[in-house]
Amino acid sequence: ELCGGTHVANSGNIGMVRILSESSIAAGIRRIEAVTASGVENVLDDLQDTMKDISSFLGNASNVRAAVEKAIKENADLHKQVEGYIEERVRSLSLELLSNARLINGVKVCYLHGPRIPEIVKNVAFTIRKESPESTVFIGATVNAENKPLLTLMLTDDLVRSGHNASAIVREAAKLIKGGGGGQPFFAQAGGKDSDGIAAAAEKIIALLNL
């Protein structure tokens, strides 16, 4: 860390100097951190080793910068493709659940179970709500990759107006998976510790809806 004083007769006494960082520590006062002499050599050696490792990772590319830019672009393109696939899968699954919905006193009850990615479960719930905006319920009784249970409940606005509350229902049903959660009157989720109780929790939700 450099200070304002002079401690060498000639800068040649310390050889090379490489600034590592500079920052503000108070009004009008900057902190400069640097290495000198053999310290610079060590930094340059580390940088050279890092560049060699990156080049090797990229197939011994002669132009590391160009190779990195290409890899970033390819990754972005793949990310867009994956997003498109997920959106397509969510819509397809949502329409499938709607077509196979259980009809209880005029209310469509869509049920999703099994191992699922939590974000996809949420997206399916909102897609179903958009596709079927009245008299529709979505119940998710799923587990994630770590076998942790997740309850999801979505209600259309007409059901909320009739007195149903997704948050209160999910909190009560979550007791069967030794968990808790909540949300809004039309959408709520709850996690838990006991995946063995997930089916019973889903049935509890239907019972609490009292359709």
PDB file of all heavy atoms in Angstrom, residues 63-101:
ATOM      1  N   ASN A  63      -5.742 -17.302 -30.206  1.00  0.00           N
ATOM      2  CA  ASN A  63      -6.321 -16.004 -29.852  1.00  0.00           C
ATOM      3  C   ASN A  63      -7.335 -16.234 -28.749  1.00  0.00           C
ATOM      4  O   ASN A  63      -8.501 -16.549 -29.002  1.00  0.00           O
ATOM      5  CB  ASN A  63      -6.972 -15.364 -31.078  1.00  0.00           C
ATOM      6  CG  ASN A  63      -7.409 -13.918 -30.819  1.00  0.00           C
ATOM      7  OD1 ASN A  63      -7.723 -13.548 -29.687  1.00  0.00           O
ATOM      8  ND2 ASN A  63      -7.427 -13.121 -31.867  1.00  0.00           N
ATOM      9  N   VAL A  64      -6.882 -16.095 -27.510  1.00  0.00           N
ATOM     10  CA  VAL A  64      -7.724 -16.410 -26.363  1.00  0.00           C
ATOM     11  C   VAL A  64      -8.941 -15.493 -26.304  1.00  0.00           C
ATOM     12  O   VAL A  64     -10.060 -15.934 -26.030  1.00  0.00           O
ATOM     13  CB  VAL A  64      -6.923 -16.308 -25.051  1.00  0.00           C
ATOM     14  CG1 VAL A  64      -7.827 -16.495 -23.841  1.00  0.00           C
ATOM     15  CG2 VAL A  64      -5.819 -17.364 -25.041  1.00  0.00           C
ATOM     16  N   ARG A  65      -8.766 -14.208 -26.556  1.00  0.00           N
ATOM     17  CA  ARG A  65      -9.881 -13.257 -26.497  1.00  0.00           C
ATOM     18  C   ARG A  65     -10.997 -13.647 -27.472  1.00  0.00           C
ATOM     19  O   ARG A  65     -12.171 -13.687 -27.100  1.00  0.00           O
ATOM     20  CB  ARG A  65      -9.387 -11.848 -26.807  1.00  0.00           C
ATOM     21  CG  ARG A  65     -10.497 -10.792 -26.775  1.00  0.00           C
ATOM     22  CD  ARG A  65      -9.997  -9.429 -27.250  1.00  0.00           C
ATOM     23  NE  ARG A  65     -11.074  -8.465 -27.274  1.00  0.00           N
ATOM     24  CZ  ARG A  65     -11.394  -7.686 -26.249  1.00  0.00           C
ATOM     25  NH1 ARG A  65     -10.712  -7.769 -25.118  1.00  0.00           N
ATOM     26  NH2 ARG A  65     -12.397  -6.835 -26.338  1.00  0.00           N
ATOM     27  N   ALA A  66     -10.607 -13.953 -28.715  1.00  0.00           N
ATOM     28  CA  ALA A  66     -11.601 -14.335 -29.718  1.00  0.00           C
ATOM     29  C   ALA A  66     -12.302 -15.630 -29.323  1.00  0.00           C
ATOM     30  O   ALA A  66     -13.516 -15.784 -29.515  1.00  0.00           O
ATOM     31  CB  ALA A  66     -10.946 -14.482 -31.083  1.00  0.00           C
ATOM     32  N   ALA A  67     -11.536 -16.568 -28.766  1.00  0.00           N
ATOM     33  CA  ALA A  67     -12.121 -17.848 -28.357  1.00  0.00           C
ATOM     34  C   ALA A  67     -13.118 -17.661 -27.216  1.00  0.00           C
ATOM     35  O   ALA A  67     -14.171 -18.301 -27.185  1.00  0.00           O
ATOM     36  CB  ALA A  67     -11.015 -18.812 -27.940  1.00  0.00           C
ATOM     37  N   VAL A  68     -12.778 -16.766 -26.268  1.00  0.00           N
ATOM     38  CA  VAL A  68     -13.684 -16.494 -25.141  1.00  0.00           C
ATOM     39  C   VAL A  68     -14.964 -15.832 -25.643  1.00  0.00           C
ATOM     40  O   VAL A  68     -16.074 -16.189 -25.228  1.00  0.00           O
ATOM     41  CB  VAL A  68     -12.990 -15.611 -24.092  1.00  0.00           C
ATOM     42  CG1 VAL A  68     -13.999 -15.114 -23.060  1.00  0.00           C
ATOM     43  CG2 VAL A  68     -11.877 -16.380 -23.400  1.00  0.00           C
ATOM     44  N   GLU A  69     -14.821 -14.854 -26.546  1.00  0.00           N
ATOM     45  CA  GLU A  69     -15.995 -14.171 -27.098  1.00  0.00           C
ATOM     46  C   GLU A  69     -16.904 -15.162 -27.832  1.00  0.00           C
ATOM     47  O   GLU A  69     -18.132 -15.088 -27.722  1.00  0.00           O
ATOM     48  CB  GLU A  69     -15.550 -13.057 -28.040  1.00  0.00           C
ATOM     49  CG  GLU A  69     -14.911 -11.862 -27.329  1.00  0.00           C
ATOM     50  CD  GLU A  69     -14.425 -10.803 -28.297  1.00  0.00           C
ATOM     51  OE1 GLU A  69     -14.340 -11.104 -29.508  1.00  0.00           O
ATOM     52  OE2 GLU A  69     -14.145  -9.671 -27.853  1.00  0.00           O
ATOM     53  N   LYS A  70     -16.297 -16.098 -28.583  1.00  0.00           N
ATOM     54  CA  LYS A  70     -17.071 -17.109 -29.292  1.00  0.00           C
ATOM     55  C   LYS A  70     -17.814 -18.011 -28.314  1.00  0.00           C
ATOM     56  O   LYS A  70     -19.001 -18.336 -28.510  1.00  0.00           O
ATOM     57  CB  LYS A  70     -16.145 -17.942 -30.174  1.00  0.00           C
ATOM     58  CG  LYS A  70     -16.874 -19.028 -30.964  1.00  0.00           C
ATOM     59  CD  LYS A  70     -15.887 -19.859 -31.791  1.00  0.00           C
ATOM     60  CE  LYS A  70     -16.624 -20.972 -32.532  1.00  0.00           C
ATOM     61  NZ  LYS A  70     -15.678 -21.827 -33.306  1.00  0.00           N
ATOM     62  N   ALA A  71     -17.123 -18.417 -27.242  1.00  0.00           N
ATOM     63  CA  ALA A  71     -17.740 -19.296 -26.244  1.00  0.00           C
ATOM     64  C   ALA A  71     -18.913 -18.598 -25.556  1.00  0.00           C
ATOM     65  O   ALA A  71     -19.957 -19.214 -25.303  1.00  0.00           O
ATOM     66  CB  ALA A  71     -16.703 -19.735 -25.214  1.00  0.00           C
ATOM     67  N   ILE A  72     -18.756 -17.310 -25.244  1.00  0.00           N
ATOM     68  CA  ILE A  72     -19.827 -16.553 -24.596  1.00  0.00           C
ATOM     69  C   ILE A  72     -21.043 -16.460 -25.515  1.00  0.00           C
ATOM     70  O   ILE A  72     -22.186 -16.619 -25.084  1.00  0.00           O
ATOM     71  CB  ILE A  72     -19.326 -15.148 -24.207  1.00  0.00           C
ATOM     72  CG1 ILE A  72     -18.300 -15.252 -23.066  1.00  0.00           C
ATOM     73  CG2 ILE A  72     -20.483 -14.255 -23.780  1.00  0.00           C
ATOM     74  CD1 ILE A  72     -17.638 -13.939 -22.710  1.00  0.00           C
ATOM     75  N   LYS A  73     -20.792 -16.193 -26.804  1.00  0.00           N
ATOM     76  CA  LYS A  73     -21.897 -16.087 -27.771  1.00  0.00           C
ATOM     77  C   LYS A  73     -22.615 -17.426 -27.914  1.00  0.00           C
ATOM     78  O   LYS A  73     -23.862 -17.478 -27.932  1.00  0.00           O
ATOM     79  CB  LYS A  73     -21.381 -15.628 -29.127  1.00  0.00           C
ATOM     80  CG  LYS A  73     -22.482 -15.420 -30.169  1.00  0.00           C
ATOM     81  CD  LYS A  73     -21.923 -14.968 -31.500  1.00  0.00           C
ATOM     82  CE  LYS A  73     -23.058 -14.695 -32.489  1.00  0.00           C
ATOM     83  NZ  LYS A  73     -23.927 -15.882 -32.690  1.00  0.00           N
ATOM     84  N   GLU A  74     -21.844 -18.510 -28.022  1.00  0.00           N
ATOM     85  CA  GLU A  74     -22.459 -19.824 -28.155  1.00  0.00           C
ATOM     86  C   GLU A  74     -23.277 -20.169 -26.917  1.00  0.00           C
ATOM     87  O   GLU A  74     -24.368 -20.752 -27.017  1.00  0.00           O
ATOM     88  CB  GLU A  74     -21.382 -20.884 -28.387  1.00  0.00           C
ATOM     89  CG  GLU A  74     -20.718 -20.794 -29.762  1.00  0.00           C
ATOM     90  CD  GLU A  74     -19.591 -21.797 -29.929  1.00  0.00           C
ATOM     91  OE1 GLU A  74     -19.178 -22.385 -28.903  1.00  0.00           O
ATOM     92  OE2 GLU A  74     -19.136 -21.989 -31.075  1.00  0.00           O
ATOM     93  N   ASN A  75     -22.782 -19.798 -25.753  1.00  0.00           N
ATOM     94  CA  ASN A  75     -23.504 -20.051 -24.515  1.00  0.00           C
ATOM     95  C   ASN A  75     -24.809 -19.270 -24.476  1.00  0.00           C
ATOM     96  O   ASN A  75     -25.852 -19.788 -24.045  1.00  0.00           O
ATOM     97  CB  ASN A  75     -22.633 -19.673 -23.314  1.00  0.00           C
ATOM     98  CG  ASN A  75     -23.331 -19.946 -21.998  1.00  0.00           C
ATOM     99  OD1 ASN A  75     -23.548 -21.085 -21.620  1.00  0.00           O
ATOM    100  ND2 ASN A  75     -23.689 -18.875 -21.279  1.00  0.00           N
ATOM    101  N   ALA A  76     -24.764 -18.004 -24.948  1.00  0.00           N
ATOM    102  CA  ALA A  76     -25.976 -17.183 -24.982  1.00  0.00           C
ATOM    103  C   ALA A  76     -27.002 -17.776 -25.941  1.00  0.00           C
ATOM    104  O   ALA A  76     -28.207 -17.797 -25.638  1.00  0.00           O
ATOM    105  CB  ALA A  76     -25.624 -15.754 -25.387  1.00  0.00           C
ATOM    106  N   ASP A  77     -26.525 -18.263 -27.093  1.00  0.00           N
ATOM    107  CA  ASP A  77     -27.431 -18.875 -28.071  1.00  0.00           C
ATOM    108  C   ASP A  77     -28.082 -20.135 -27.501  1.00  0.00           C
ATOM    109  O   ASP A  77     -29.289 -20.362 -27.674  1.00  0.00           O
ATOM    110  CB  ASP A  77     -26.665 -19.223 -29.353  1.00  0.00           C
ATOM    111  CG  ASP A  77     -26.227 -17.980 -30.124  1.00  0.00           C
ATOM    112  OD1 ASP A  77     -26.803 -16.902 -29.876  1.00  0.00           O
ATOM    113  OD2 ASP A  77     -25.305 -18.099 -30.963  1.00  0.00           O
ATOM    114  N   LEU A  78     -27.277 -20.949 -26.821  1.00  0.00           N
ATOM    115  CA  LEU A  78     -27.813 -22.169 -26.209  1.00  0.00           C
ATOM    116  C   LEU A  78     -28.821 -21.833 -25.123  1.00  0.00           C
ATOM    117  O   LEU A  78     -29.845 -22.517 -24.973  1.00  0.00           O
ATOM    118  CB  LEU A  78     -26.669 -23.013 -25.629  1.00  0.00           C
ATOM    119  CG  LEU A  78     -25.783 -23.744 -26.642  1.00  0.00           C
ATOM    120  CD1 LEU A  78     -24.596 -24.390 -25.938  1.00  0.00           C
ATOM    121  CD2 LEU A  78     -26.585 -24.805 -27.399  1.00  0.00           C
ATOM    122  N   HIS A  79     -28.536 -20.771 -24.367  1.00  0.00           N
ATOM    123  CA  HIS A  79     -29.445 -20.344 -23.292  1.00  0.00           C
ATOM    124  C   HIS A  79     -30.803 -19.954 -23.873  1.00  0.00           C
ATOM    125  O   HIS A  79     -31.853 -20.295 -23.311  1.00  0.00           O
ATOM    126  CB  HIS A  79     -28.829 -19.164 -22.536  1.00  0.00           C
ATOM    127  CG  HIS A  79     -29.614 -18.741 -21.336  1.00  0.00           C
ATOM    128  ND1 HIS A  79     -29.745 -19.528 -20.216  1.00  0.00           N
ATOM    129  CD2 HIS A  79     -30.318 -17.606 -21.077  1.00  0.00           C
ATOM    130  CE1 HIS A  79     -30.479 -18.913 -19.318  1.00  0.00           C
ATOM    131  NE2 HIS A  79     -30.851 -17.737 -19.826  1.00  0.00           N
ATOM    132  N   LYS A  80     -30.774 -19.243 -25.001  1.00  0.00           N
ATOM    133  CA  LYS A  80     -32.029 -18.847 -25.648  1.00  0.00           C
ATOM    134  C   LYS A  80     -32.794 -20.073 -26.137  1.00  0.00           C
ATOM    135  O   LYS A  80     -34.021 -20.140 -26.029  1.00  0.00           O
ATOM    136  CB  LYS A  80     -31.736 -17.912 -26.816  1.00  0.00           C
ATOM    137  CG  LYS A  80     -31.286 -16.513 -26.406  1.00  0.00           C
ATOM    138  CD  LYS A  80     -31.027 -15.636 -27.621  1.00  0.00           C
ATOM    139  CE  LYS A  80     -30.567 -14.246 -27.206  1.00  0.00           C
ATOM    140  NZ  LYS A  80     -30.278 -13.385 -28.395  1.00  0.00           N
ATOM    141  N   GLN A  81     -32.061 -21.052 -26.680  1.00  0.00           N
ATOM    142  CA  GLN A  81     -32.709 -22.273 -27.151  1.00  0.00           C
ATOM    143  C   GLN A  81     -33.363 -23.026 -26.004  1.00  0.00           C
ATOM    144  O   GLN A  81     -34.479 -23.540 -26.135  1.00  0.00           O
ATOM    145  CB  GLN A  81     -31.684 -23.168 -27.851  1.00  0.00           C
ATOM    146  CG  GLN A  81     -31.165 -22.613 -29.171  1.00  0.00           C
ATOM    147  CD  GLN A  81     -30.117 -23.519 -29.799  1.00  0.00           C
ATOM    148  OE1 GLN A  81     -30.064 -24.716 -29.529  1.00  0.00           O
ATOM    149  NE2 GLN A  81     -29.260 -22.948 -30.639  1.00  0.00           N
ATOM    150  N   VAL A  82     -32.659 -23.093 -24.875  1.00  0.00           N
ATOM    151  CA  VAL A  82     -33.209 -23.782 -23.700  1.00  0.00           C
ATOM    152  C   VAL A  82     -34.447 -23.061 -23.190  1.00  0.00           C
ATOM    153  O   VAL A  82     -35.459 -23.689 -22.847  1.00  0.00           O
ATOM    154  CB  VAL A  82     -32.140 -23.881 -22.586  1.00  0.00           C
ATOM    155  CG1 VAL A  82     -32.773 -24.381 -21.283  1.00  0.00           C
ATOM    156  CG2 VAL A  82     -31.017 -24.823 -23.005  1.00  0.00           C
ATOM    157  N   GLU A  83     -34.390 -21.720 -23.141  1.00  0.00           N
ATOM    158  CA  GLU A  83     -35.548 -20.946 -22.696  1.00  0.00           C
ATOM    159  C   GLU A  83     -36.751 -21.201 -23.597  1.00  0.00           C
ATOM    160  O   GLU A  83     -37.885 -21.344 -23.131  1.00  0.00           O
ATOM    161  CB  GLU A  83     -35.211 -19.450 -22.691  1.00  0.00           C
ATOM    162  CG  GLU A  83     -34.337 -19.016 -21.526  1.00  0.00           C
ATOM    163  CD  GLU A  83     -34.108 -17.519 -21.521  1.00  0.00           C
ATOM    164  OE1 GLU A  83     -34.254 -16.886 -22.598  1.00  0.00           O
ATOM    165  OE2 GLU A  83     -33.798 -16.976 -20.449  1.00  0.00           O
ATOM    166  N   GLY A  84     -36.490 -21.249 -24.923  1.00  0.00           N
ATOM    167  CA  GLY A  84     -37.569 -21.516 -25.869  1.00  0.00           C
ATOM    168  C   GLY A  84     -38.160 -22.902 -25.660  1.00  0.00           C
ATOM    169  O   GLY A  84     -39.388 -23.073 -25.708  1.00  0.00           O
ATOM    170  N   TYR A  85     -37.303 -23.876 -25.412  1.00  0.00           N
ATOM    171  CA  TYR A  85     -37.780 -25.235 -25.166  1.00  0.00           C
ATOM    172  C   TYR A  85     -38.617 -25.293 -23.889  1.00  0.00           C
ATOM    173  O   TYR A  85     -39.674 -25.944 -23.857  1.00  0.00           O
ATOM    174  CB  TYR A  85     -36.600 -26.202 -25.052  1.00  0.00           C
ATOM    175  CG  TYR A  85     -36.990 -27.573 -24.555  1.00  0.00           C
ATOM    176  CD1 TYR A  85     -37.584 -28.502 -25.406  1.00  0.00           C
ATOM    177  CD2 TYR A  85     -36.787 -27.931 -23.213  1.00  0.00           C
ATOM    178  CE1 TYR A  85     -37.965 -29.762 -24.946  1.00  0.00           C
ATOM    179  CE2 TYR A  85     -37.168 -29.177 -22.747  1.00  0.00           C
ATOM    180  CZ  TYR A  85     -37.748 -30.089 -23.617  1.00  0.00           C
ATOM    181  OH  TYR A  85     -38.145 -31.317 -23.156  1.00  0.00           O
ATOM    182  N   ILE A  86     -38.151 -24.622 -22.837  1.00  0.00           N
ATOM    183  CA  ILE A  86     -38.878 -24.633 -21.566  1.00  0.00           C
ATOM    184  C   ILE A  86     -40.246 -23.981 -21.733  1.00  0.00           C
ATOM    185  O   ILE A  86     -41.260 -24.488 -21.222  1.00  0.00           O
ATOM    186  CB  ILE A  86     -38.063 -23.921 -20.467  1.00  0.00           C
ATOM    187  CG1 ILE A  86     -36.821 -24.754 -20.110  1.00  0.00           C
ATOM    188  CG2 ILE A  86     -38.913 -23.688 -19.224  1.00  0.00           C
ATOM    189  CD1 ILE A  86     -35.895 -24.077 -19.127  1.00  0.00           C
ATOM    190  N   GLU A  87     -40.302 -22.847 -22.430  1.00  0.00           N
ATOM    191  CA  GLU A  87     -41.584 -22.172 -22.657  1.00  0.00           C
ATOM    192  C   GLU A  87     -42.546 -23.079 -23.422  1.00  0.00           C
ATOM    193  O   GLU A  87     -43.736 -23.157 -23.106  1.00  0.00           O
ATOM    194  CB  GLU A  87     -41.353 -20.878 -23.434  1.00  0.00           C
ATOM    195  CG  GLU A  87     -40.678 -19.774 -22.614  1.00  0.00           C
ATOM    196  CD  GLU A  87     -40.427 -18.524 -23.434  1.00  0.00           C
ATOM    197  OE1 GLU A  87     -40.843 -18.496 -24.622  1.00  0.00           O
ATOM    198  OE2 GLU A  87     -39.822 -17.577 -22.903  1.00  0.00           O
ATOM    199  N   GLU A  88     -42.012 -23.763 -24.438  1.00  0.00           N
ATOM    200  CA  GLU A  88     -42.843 -24.669 -25.225  1.00  0.00           C
ATOM    201  C   GLU A  88     -43.346 -25.830 -24.369  1.00  0.00           C
ATOM    202  O   GLU A  88     -44.515 -26.237 -24.451  1.00  0.00           O
ATOM    203  CB  GLU A  88     -42.028 -25.196 -26.404  1.00  0.00           C
ATOM    204  CG  GLU A  88     -42.790 -26.141 -27.317  1.00  0.00           C
ATOM    205  CD  GLU A  88     -41.937 -26.657 -28.463  1.00  0.00           C
ATOM    206  OE1 GLU A  88     -40.933 -26.004 -28.795  1.00  0.00           O
ATOM    207  OE2 GLU A  88     -42.279 -27.722 -29.008  1.00  0.00           O
ATOM    208  N   ARG A  89     -42.448 -26.359 -23.539  1.00  0.00           N
ATOM    209  CA  ARG A  89     -42.810 -27.480 -22.667  1.00  0.00           C
ATOM    210  C   ARG A  89     -43.842 -27.053 -21.632  1.00  0.00           C
ATOM    211  O   ARG A  89     -44.793 -27.800 -21.345  1.00  0.00           O
ATOM    212  CB  ARG A  89     -41.555 -28.017 -21.980  1.00  0.00           C
ATOM    213  CG  ARG A  89     -41.816 -29.144 -20.979  1.00  0.00           C
ATOM    214  CD  ARG A  89     -42.502 -30.318 -21.627  1.00  0.00           C
ATOM    215  NE  ARG A  89     -42.810 -31.362 -20.657  1.00  0.00           N
ATOM    216  CZ  ARG A  89     -43.803 -32.219 -20.781  1.00  0.00           C
ATOM    217  NH1 ARG A  89     -44.608 -32.160 -21.829  1.00  0.00           N
ATOM    218  NH2 ARG A  89     -44.012 -33.153 -19.864  1.00  0.00           N
ATOM    219  N   VAL A  90     -43.693 -25.866 -21.074  1.00  0.00           N
ATOM    220  CA  VAL A  90     -44.639 -25.363 -20.079  1.00  0.00           C
ATOM    221  C   VAL A  90     -46.030 -25.223 -20.692  1.00  0.00           C
ATOM    222  O   VAL A  90     -47.032 -25.639 -20.093  1.00  0.00           O
ATOM    223  CB  VAL A  90     -44.161 -24.006 -19.511  1.00  0.00           C
ATOM    224  CG1 VAL A  90     -45.296 -23.292 -18.776  1.00  0.00           C
ATOM    225  CG2 VAL A  90     -42.990 -24.207 -18.564  1.00  0.00           C
ATOM    226  N   ARG A  91     -46.095 -24.644 -21.878  1.00  0.00           N
ATOM    227  CA  ARG A  91     -47.400 -24.472 -22.535  1.00  0.00           C
ATOM    228  C   ARG A  91     -48.022 -25.821 -22.874  1.00  0.00           C
ATOM    229  O   ARG A  91     -49.224 -26.031 -22.646  1.00  0.00           O
ATOM    230  CB  ARG A  91     -47.246 -23.626 -23.795  1.00  0.00           C
ATOM    231  CG  ARG A  91     -48.560 -23.447 -24.558  1.00  0.00           C
ATOM    232  CD  ARG A  91     -48.473 -22.411 -25.643  1.00  0.00           C
ATOM    233  NE  ARG A  91     -49.692 -22.385 -26.431  1.00  0.00           N
ATOM    234  CZ  ARG A  91     -50.826 -21.840 -26.040  1.00  0.00           C
ATOM    235  NH1 ARG A  91     -50.902 -21.256 -24.856  1.00  0.00           N
ATOM    236  NH2 ARG A  91     -51.897 -21.848 -26.823  1.00  0.00           N
ATOM    237  N   SER A  92     -47.220 -26.744 -23.408  1.00  0.00           N
ATOM    238  CA  SER A  92     -47.735 -28.061 -23.759  1.00  0.00           C
ATOM    239  C   SER A  92     -48.265 -28.789 -22.531  1.00  0.00           C
ATOM    240  O   SER A  92     -49.358 -29.383 -22.559  1.00  0.00           O
ATOM    241  CB  SER A  92     -46.620 -28.880 -24.418  1.00  0.00           C
ATOM    242  OG  SER A  92     -47.039 -30.200 -24.650  1.00  0.00           O
ATOM    243  N   LEU A  93     -47.503 -28.729 -21.433  1.00  0.00           N
ATOM    244  CA  LEU A  93     -47.918 -29.392 -20.193  1.00  0.00           C
ATOM    245  C   LEU A  93     -49.172 -28.744 -19.625  1.00  0.00           C
ATOM    246  O   LEU A  93     -50.074 -29.436 -19.136  1.00  0.00           O
ATOM    247  CB  LEU A  93     -46.776 -29.339 -19.176  1.00  0.00           C
ATOM    248  CG  LEU A  93     -47.021 -30.001 -17.817  1.00  0.00           C
ATOM    249  CD1 LEU A  93     -47.397 -31.462 -17.984  1.00  0.00           C
ATOM    250  CD2 LEU A  93     -45.779 -29.863 -16.940  1.00  0.00           C
ATOM    251  N   SER A  94     -49.256 -27.435 -19.700  1.00  0.00           N
ATOM    252  CA  SER A  94     -50.427 -26.713 -19.181  1.00  0.00           C
ATOM    253  C   SER A  94     -51.691 -27.111 -19.921  1.00  0.00           C
ATOM    254  O   SER A  94     -52.743 -27.367 -19.308  1.00  0.00           O
ATOM    255  CB  SER A  94     -50.199 -25.202 -19.296  1.00  0.00           C
ATOM    256  OG  SER A  94     -49.055 -24.799 -18.576  1.00  0.00           O
ATOM    257  N   LEU A  95     -51.610 -27.150 -21.254  1.00  0.00           N
ATOM    258  CA  LEU A  95     -52.776 -27.524 -22.058  1.00  0.00           C
ATOM    259  C   LEU A  95     -53.165 -28.975 -21.809  1.00  0.00           C
ATOM    260  O   LEU A  95     -54.364 -29.321 -21.784  1.00  0.00           O
ATOM    261  CB  LEU A  95     -52.480 -27.299 -23.540  1.00  0.00           C
ATOM    262  CG  LEU A  95     -52.259 -25.834 -23.957  1.00  0.00           C
ATOM    263  CD1 LEU A  95     -51.923 -25.748 -25.441  1.00  0.00           C
ATOM    264  CD2 LEU A  95     -53.493 -24.984 -23.642  1.00  0.00           C
ATOM    265  N   GLU A  96     -52.164 -29.831 -21.597  1.00  0.00           N
ATOM    266  CA  GLU A  96     -52.444 -31.242 -21.296  1.00  0.00           C
ATOM    267  C   GLU A  96     -53.181 -31.378 -19.969  1.00  0.00           C
ATOM    268  O   GLU A  96     -54.151 -32.148 -19.854  1.00  0.00           O
ATOM    269  CB  GLU A  96     -51.134 -32.017 -21.257  1.00  0.00           C
ATOM    270  CG  GLU A  96     -51.303 -33.499 -20.949  1.00  0.00           C
ATOM    271  CD  GLU A  96     -49.966 -34.215 -20.847  1.00  0.00           C
ATOM    272  OE1 GLU A  96     -48.958 -33.688 -21.342  1.00  0.00           O
ATOM    273  OE2 GLU A  96     -49.941 -35.308 -20.245  1.00  0.00           O
ATOM    274  N   LEU A  97     -52.744 -30.628 -18.962  1.00  0.00           N
ATOM    275  CA  LEU A  97     -53.398 -30.677 -17.654  1.00  0.00           C
ATOM    276  C   LEU A  97     -54.824 -30.155 -17.734  1.00  0.00           C
ATOM    277  O   LEU A  97     -55.733 -30.683 -17.083  1.00  0.00           O
ATOM    278  CB  LEU A  97     -52.592 -29.868 -16.634  1.00  0.00           C
ATOM    279  CG  LEU A  97     -51.224 -30.441 -16.246  1.00  0.00           C
ATOM    280  CD1 LEU A  97     -50.476 -29.467 -15.341  1.00  0.00           C
ATOM    281  CD2 LEU A  97     -51.374 -31.790 -15.552  1.00  0.00           C
ATOM    282  N   LEU A  98     -55.018 -29.113 -18.534  1.00  0.00           N
ATOM    283  CA  LEU A  98     -56.366 -28.559 -18.683  1.00  0.00           C
ATOM    284  C   LEU A  98     -57.300 -29.549 -19.368  1.00  0.00           C
ATOM    285  O   LEU A  98     -58.471 -29.693 -18.985  1.00  0.00           O
ATOM    286  CB  LEU A  98     -56.315 -27.251 -19.483  1.00  0.00           C
ATOM    287  CG  LEU A  98     -56.016 -25.983 -18.688  1.00  0.00           C
ATOM    288  CD1 LEU A  98     -55.763 -24.806 -19.635  1.00  0.00           C
ATOM    289  CD2 LEU A  98     -57.174 -25.662 -17.742  1.00  0.00           C
ATOM    290  N   SER A  99     -56.772 -30.235 -20.390  1.00  0.00           N
ATOM    291  CA  SER A  99     -57.619 -31.193 -21.114  1.00  0.00           C
ATOM    292  C   SER A  99     -57.972 -32.396 -20.252  1.00  0.00           C
ATOM    293  O   SER A  99     -58.994 -33.059 -20.481  1.00  0.00           O
ATOM    294  CB  SER A  99     -56.922 -31.648 -22.396  1.00  0.00           C
ATOM    295  OG  SER A  99     -55.751 -32.395 -22.091  1.00  0.00           O
ATOM    296  N   ASN A 100     -57.127 -32.694 -19.259  1.00  0.00           N
ATOM    297  CA  ASN A 100     -57.377 -33.836 -18.368  1.00  0.00           C
ATOM    298  C   ASN A 100     -57.865 -33.399 -16.985  1.00  0.00           C
ATOM    299  O   ASN A 100     -57.796 -34.176 -16.027  1.00  0.00           O
ATOM    300  CB  ASN A 100     -56.105 -34.668 -18.217  1.00  0.00           C
ATOM    301  CG  ASN A 100     -55.673 -35.308 -19.516  1.00  0.00           C
ATOM    302  OD1 ASN A 100     -56.489 -35.815 -20.275  1.00  0.00           O
ATOM    303  ND2 ASN A 100     -54.369 -35.288 -19.793  1.00  0.00           N
ATOM    304  N   ALA A 101     -58.331 -32.159 -16.892  1.00  0.00           N
ATOM    305  CA  ALA A 101     -58.750 -31.616 -15.596  1.00  0.00           C
ATOM    306  C   ALA A 101     -59.930 -32.400 -15.018  1.00  0.00           C
ATOM    307  O   ALA A 101     -60.813 -32.855 -15.748  1.00  0.00           O
ATOM    308  CB  ALA A 101     -59.119 -30.144 -15.742  1.00  0.00           C
TER     309      ALA A 101
END
